[in-house]
């Protein structure tokens, strides 16, 4: 044996050694080897896997499998090949025989092996092995036998192992394997599987005196399958036989006055019923049924003092049934339950949750709060309860700091998900810009059983919510805390794949969006400081596709939740970029990354508008562009203007011009029906006017009538009735004429344009001489024009000298406006012109 062992780690084995190895396998010696030396067992496993991958030796293993499948499976069990790797290899490589028959024979063998086992702490590893191997076989070869469920489903009962050492974790492993098998069977043969599941459950409730284990087996199966196949489980659940079966236990619990709950099995039975009721609440019909059948149980359970799990589960179920309870005007019970009672049950537990260290109860509590914080009164109460808010943030913070942060289990993820839902519900504003938020909340709660809640029309004080959100940001560092949670990141295998991890990220972005609604600059700046800008950009980059020809960004697919979350991200991005210093904010990403995303907020390409109403039917992924509001467009323009301010790179400004002018700005600047958009568009152009590409759009008037018309409009708008708008236009012209002498020359050489602009300056000097900012800009324009005239010819300068109206208007400004800079510029004009 030792000679063989020395060769096990080598890639090549002698023929005799291979035969010896197979003989060892035939004799079942692996069990002894595994008990003696675990490392040797691992080497045997690796060697057999190698043999199963080679055609010749795989055939020999295949023969062993055909001759005695039961012994073969036991040998693999001793090797701990619990993924079925060797079986899959040898069956896949031997296709000459009847593969389907071999696979079915294997499944039957496993079924028979499981039939002889009872689930105890001594056998759970054997059960786990056979179930894992069964799952591997049906997953790889597709063969299914729904009749095997009569045996497999019996292992979905927790009682035999729940009280043993590591009982909970053992149970979860076993039950998860059973459910994965059941799901696979439903996928392949739903009709037959549905029938067998129904038969199995009927056999259970036909038992007049079921054991606690059998009853829990019934409730656990129903609870788990309800969300997966409600159409199969609901008719069974609401049937009269099922009601009688469950009510027997309910009456025993209620009639006992509580003492029976001191017995572990009875507590488990009660908890099983409560979990089943909660799971069934995904259906309107089941919720109605629950109110009729189990309302009294839930009322009693919600007031039990000495069992937290029962009290919390009862409270959660009542919350899911709340609207139906309100309709129940004639209750036979003297127990009355209010929203405040339900809230108190949850918040009183939450305040002490960290000390109690019970993750299951905490998750129940948080799920209940996720629903309850949809209620306006509850939201108001919790916002003002600093202790509850502190606990929520502390739990998140501790999860972020825990060693398991990067590899959290399902419970941790669900708990964090629920906490983020609570925060987003508390943050939620109800202003007009929050379109689709009600739908978002329902989507975010989709992994929980969603009650048929009616809308609470009570209006909240939006200022108070802004104050609460600001406190979350500054006092509790909510964005910084959530950012440290590794589970929020979009770590799916495929971009756009909907998992709990991506749902966490959606919640995070929704919270960022709500906080960003605060118009205070310091709030949006603090969002950026805590990492919100990187979060939304990271999401947008991952869940966007880019057109290589146009550079346009679009959702990576048509998934409505991705489209909606991207929209929250786009709006948050614009709000933050309006308020920050671009030179300081961008460390992780290039500032140019933001431009295509901000352009999305400008809506569909206006230049392609054909005159027909409605959405673009050629690309359904672009329909969301038609949902962009005027506020979206306005904030996008402000953000682009801020990005283009200061000493930014020419490449950035050129990119903004290329992506926005022809498609959007060219239309926005003439749309006086939307003055805020018109003005914002001109402000952006003013920041970009020093770029040759933008100058050409207005001042290359010899080659394009369109350019001439734009310049004509620009000059006319100097005389706007809005002084701030006048300042924008005058600033644009001042920048252009100051940076480039040829622009001033173009303006004076065209007689009509020259007369128009000098006329506008003269008129404003006469009527608005006290408007210092405007007069200063116009003074610079006038000086630049005079310089250009002097350089072109004496005749051009003479035009200014002979203009008596201009002379009088300049003198008028000198008398009225005492701004030193204006006086200095106009004196320079007078010296150059020498008015007559």
């Amino acid at each position: 044996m030792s000679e063989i062992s020395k060769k096990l780690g080598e890639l090549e084995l002698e023929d005799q050694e291979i035969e010896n190895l197979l003989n060892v396998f035939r004799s079942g010696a692996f069990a002894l080897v595994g008990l003696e030396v675990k490392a040797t067992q691992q080497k045997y496993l690796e060697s057999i896997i190698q043999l199963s991958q080679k055609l010749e030796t795989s055939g020999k293993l295949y023969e062993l499998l055909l001759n005695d499948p039961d012994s073969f499976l036991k040998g693999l069990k001793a090797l701990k090949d619990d993924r079925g790797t060797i079986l899959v290899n040898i069956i896949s490589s031997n296709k000459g025989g009847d593969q389907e028959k071999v696979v079915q024979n294997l499944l039957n063998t496993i079924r028979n092996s499981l039939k002889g086992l009872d689930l105890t702490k001594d056998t759970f590893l054997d059960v786990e092995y056979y179930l894992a191997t069964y799952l591997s076989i049906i997953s790889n070869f597709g063969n299914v036998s729904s009749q095997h469920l009569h045996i497999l489903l019996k292992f979905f009962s927790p009682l035999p192992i729940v009280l043993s050492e590591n009982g909970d974790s053992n149970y979860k492993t076993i039950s998860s394997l059973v459910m994965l098998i059941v799901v696979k069977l439903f996928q392949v043969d739903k009709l037959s599987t549905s029938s067998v599941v129904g038969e199995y459950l009927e056999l259970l409730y036909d038992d007049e005196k079921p054991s606690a284990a059998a009853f829990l087996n019934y409730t656990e199966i129903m609870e788990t399958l309800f969300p997966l196949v409600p159409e199969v489980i609901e008719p069974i659940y609401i049937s009269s036989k099922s009601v009688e079966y469950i009510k027997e236990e309910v009456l025993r619990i209620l009639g006992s006055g509580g003492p029976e709950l001191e017995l572990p099995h009875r507590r488990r039975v009660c908890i099983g019923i409560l979990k089943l009721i909660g799971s069934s609440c995904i259906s309107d019909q089941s919720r109605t049924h629950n109110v009729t059948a189990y309302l009294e149980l839930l009322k009693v359970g919600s007031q039990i003092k000495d069992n937290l799990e029962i009290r919390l589960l009862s409270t959660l179920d009542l919350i899911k049934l709340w609207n139906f309870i309100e309709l129940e005007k004639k209750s036979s019970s003297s127990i009355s339950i209010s929203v405040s009672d339900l809230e108190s049950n949850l918040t009183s537990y939450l305040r002490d949750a960290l000390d109690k260290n019970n993750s299951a109860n905490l998750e129940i509590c948080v799920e209940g709060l996720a629903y309850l914080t949809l209620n306006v009164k509850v939201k108001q109460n919790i916002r003002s309860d600093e202790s509850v808010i502190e606990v929520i943030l502390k739990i998140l913070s501790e999860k972020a700091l825990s060693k398991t942060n990067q590899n959290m289990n399902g419970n941790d993820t669900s708990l964090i998900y629920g906490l983020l839902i609570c925060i987003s519900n508390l943050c939620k504003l109800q202003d007009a810009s929050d379109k689709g938020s009600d739908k978002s909340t329902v989507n975010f709660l989709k992994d929980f059983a969603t009650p048929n809640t009616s809308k609470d029309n009570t209006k909240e004080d939006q200022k108070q919510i802004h104050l609460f959100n600001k406190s979350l940001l500054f006092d509790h560092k909510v964005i910084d805390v959530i950012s440290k949670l590794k589970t929020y990141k979009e770590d799916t295998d495929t971009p756009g794949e909907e998992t709990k991890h991506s749902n966490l990220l959606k919640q995070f972005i929704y919270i960022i969006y709500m906080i960003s609604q605060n118009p205070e600059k310091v709030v949006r700046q603090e969002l950026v400081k805590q990492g919100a800008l990187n979060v939304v950009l990271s999401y947008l980059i991952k869940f966007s596709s880019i057109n290589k020809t146009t550079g346009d960004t679009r959702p990576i697919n048509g998934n409505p939740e991705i489209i909606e979350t991207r929209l929250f991200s786009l709006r948050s991005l614009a709000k933050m970029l309006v308020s920050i210093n671009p030179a300081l904010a961008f460390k992780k990403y290039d500032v140019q990354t933001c431009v295509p995303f901000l352009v999305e907020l400008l809506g569909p390409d206006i230049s392609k508008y054909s005159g027909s109403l409605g959405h673009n039917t050629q690309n359904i992924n672009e329909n969301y562009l038609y949902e962009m509001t005027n506020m979206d467009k306005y904030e996008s323009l402000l953000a682009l203007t801020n990005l283009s301010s200061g000493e930014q790179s020419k490449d950035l400004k050129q990119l903004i011009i290329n992506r926005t002018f022809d498609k959007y700005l060219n239309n926005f600047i003439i749309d006086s029906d939307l003055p805020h958009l018109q003005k914002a568009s001109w402000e952006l152009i003013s920041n970009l006017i020093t770029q040759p590409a933008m100058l050409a759009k207005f001042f290359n008037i010899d080659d394009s009538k369109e350019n001439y018309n734009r310049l004509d409009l620009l000059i006319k708008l100097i005389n706007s009735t809005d002084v701030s708008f006048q300042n924008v236009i005058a600033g644009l012209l001042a920048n252009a004429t100051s940076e480039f002498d040829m622009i001033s020359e173009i303006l004076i050489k065209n007689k009509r344009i020259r007369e128009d602009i000098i006329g506008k300056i003269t008129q404003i000097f006469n009527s608005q001489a006290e408007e210092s900012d405007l007069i200063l800009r116009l003074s610079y324009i006038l000086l630049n024009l005079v310089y250009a005239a002097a350089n072109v010819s004496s005749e051009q300068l003479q035009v200014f000298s002979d203009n008596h109206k201009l002379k009088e208007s300049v003198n008028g400004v000198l008398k009225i406006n005492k701004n030193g800079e204006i006086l200095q510029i106009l004196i320079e004009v007078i010296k150059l012109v020498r008015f007559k």
Side-chain angles (χ1 to χ4, degrees), residues 434-566:
D434 185 20
K435 291 186 175 181
S437 61
D438 288 337
K439 180 179 70 173
S440 302
T441 302
V442 172
N443 287 340
F444 291 150
L445 287 168
K446 70 178 184 178
D447 282 355
F448 297 119
T450 307
N452 186 21
T453 54
S454 61
K455 288 193 175 181
D456 187 339
N457 294 319
T458 306
K459 289 187 178 181
E460 294 191 82
D461 185 338
Q462 301 302 291
K463 290 182 180 179
Q464 291 300 315
I465 301 175
H466 277 307
L467 288 173
F468 171 77
N469 291 351
K470 186 176 180 180
S471 174
L472 273 181
L473 186 66
F474 284 92
D475 300 334
H476 298 283
K477 307 296 181 185
V478 63
I479 303 303
D480 185 55
V481 169
I482 301 174
S483 294
K484 290 183 171 64
L485 288 163
K486 302 302 180 186
T487 54
Y488 91 82
K489 295 182 181 294
E490 59 281 23
D491 53 353
T492 53
D493 293 332
T494 304
E497 182 183 346
E498 289 308 302
T499 67
K500 285 188 176 180
H501 286 73
S502 61
N503 284 337
L504 290 171
L505 181 58
K506 287 187 296 184
Q507 282 293 341
F508 191 9
I509 287 173
Y510 188 72
I511 292 167
I512 291 172
Y513 169 71
M514 284 301 162
I515 297 175
S516 73
Q517 297 292 302
N518 192 312
E520 292 183 59
K521 188 174 182 179
V522 291
V523 171
R524 297 176 179 184
Q525 289 174 335
E526 183 64 22
L527 277 171
V528 176
K529 287 179 184 178
Q530 293 188 29
L533 178 61
N534 289 337
V535 172
V536 297
L537 274 175
S538 177
Y539 181 88
L540 288 169
I541 290 168
K542 184 171 183 68
F543 289 90
S544 299
S545 61
I546 302 176
N547 186 307
K548 293 181 180 179
T549 304
T550 65
D552 291 337
T553 49
R554 295 292 183 266
I556 199 165
N557 58 43
N559 185 314
E561 292 187 12
I562 289 178
I563 291 174
E564 183 178 56
T565 307
R566 282 185 83 260

Side-chain angles (χ1 to χ4, degrees), residues 396-409 412-413 416 481-489 491 501 504:
L396 289 174
S397 182
E398 290 193 355
K399 292 297 180 184
L401 295 173
S402 67
K403 293 180 180 179
T404 59
N405 184 20
Q406 297 190 38
N407 187 26
M408 290 194 178
N409 58 41
D412 281 328
T413 304
I416 293 169
V481 169
I482 301 174
S483 294
K484 290 183 171 64
L485 288 163
K486 302 302 180 186
T487 54
Y488 91 82
K489 295 182 181 294
D491 53 353
H501 286 73
L504 290 171

Side-chain angles (χ1 to χ4, degrees), residues 259-430:
E260 280 211 43
L261 289 177
E262 296 177 5
L263 301 173
H265 291 186
R266 296 267 64 81
R267 287 198 299 271
R268 294 292 303 188
V269 165
C270 183
I271 289 167
I273 294 172
L274 294 173
K275 286 183 175 181
L276 173 56
I277 293 171
S279 179
S280 72
C281 286
I282 59 172
S283 156
D284 287 345
Q285 187 174 3
S286 293
R287 284 197 295 274
T288 304
H289 168 78
N290 290 337
V291 170
T292 303
Y294 308 120
L295 180 57
E296 298 308 314
L297 170 67
L298 300 180
K299 286 182 176 181
V300 171
S302 70
Q303 297 194 348
I304 285 178
K305 301 298 182 184
D306 56 355
N307 193 296
L308 268 174
E309 188 171 9
I310 290 175
R311 183 165 79 245
L312 291 172
L313 280 170
S314 300
T315 300
L316 175 59
D317 289 348
L318 284 169
I319 290 169
K320 292 177 179 181
L321 301 176
W322 183 252
N323 275 350
F324 292 90
I325 293 173
E326 287 186 326
L327 297 174
E328 186 81 357
K329 301 300 182 183
K330 297 180 180 179
S331 174
S332 60
S333 171
S334 59
I335 301 174
S336 61
I337 301 292
S338 67
V339 172
S340 296
D341 295 327
L342 300 176
E343 178 191 347
S344 178
N345 276 358
L346 299 179
T347 56
S348 61
Y349 172 78
L350 188 65
R351 289 188 190 94
D352 301 325
L354 293 173
D355 297 330
K356 291 173 180 173
N357 194 26
N358 187 314
S359 59
N361 284 345
L362 181 57
E363 189 173 347
I364 295 166
C365 174
V366 169
E367 183 180 351
L369 284 173
Y371 290 120
L372 213 52
T373 49
L374 293 171
N375 178 277
V376 170
K377 182 63 177 175
V378 172
K379 282 196 281 190
Q380 292 171 343
N381 291 342
I382 293 179
R383 287 194 196 110
S384 61
D385 191 335
E386 187 69 14
S387 63
V388 171
I389 302 301
E390 285 180 354
V391 171
I392 290 174
L393 271 296
K394 190 171 182 180
I395 293 170
L396 289 174
S397 182
E398 290 193 355
K399 292 297 180 184
L401 295 173
S402 67
K403 293 180 180 179
T404 59
N405 184 20
Q406 297 190 38
N407 187 26
M408 290 194 178
N409 58 41
N411 288 343
D412 281 328
T413 304
S414 296
L415 175 62
I416 293 169
Y417 184 33
L419 290 169
L420 294 187
I421 290 173
C422 293
I423 295 173
S424 64
N425 287 344
L426 296 172
C427 288
K428 183 180 177 295
L429 292 150
Q430 296 175 324

Side-chain angles (χ1 to χ4, degrees), residues 131-142:
L131 289 173
T133 304
Y134 193 102
L135 177 61
S136 178
I137 293 172
I138 63 174
S139 298
N140 282 279
F141 301 106

Side-chain angles (χ1 to χ4, degrees), residues 604-611 660-667:
D605 184 351
I606 300 174
S607 66
K608 294 180 180 179
Y609 179 63
S610 61
T660 62
F661 189 86
D662 292 332
K663 293 181 178 181
Y664 304 100
L665 300 182
N666 193 38
N667 288 277

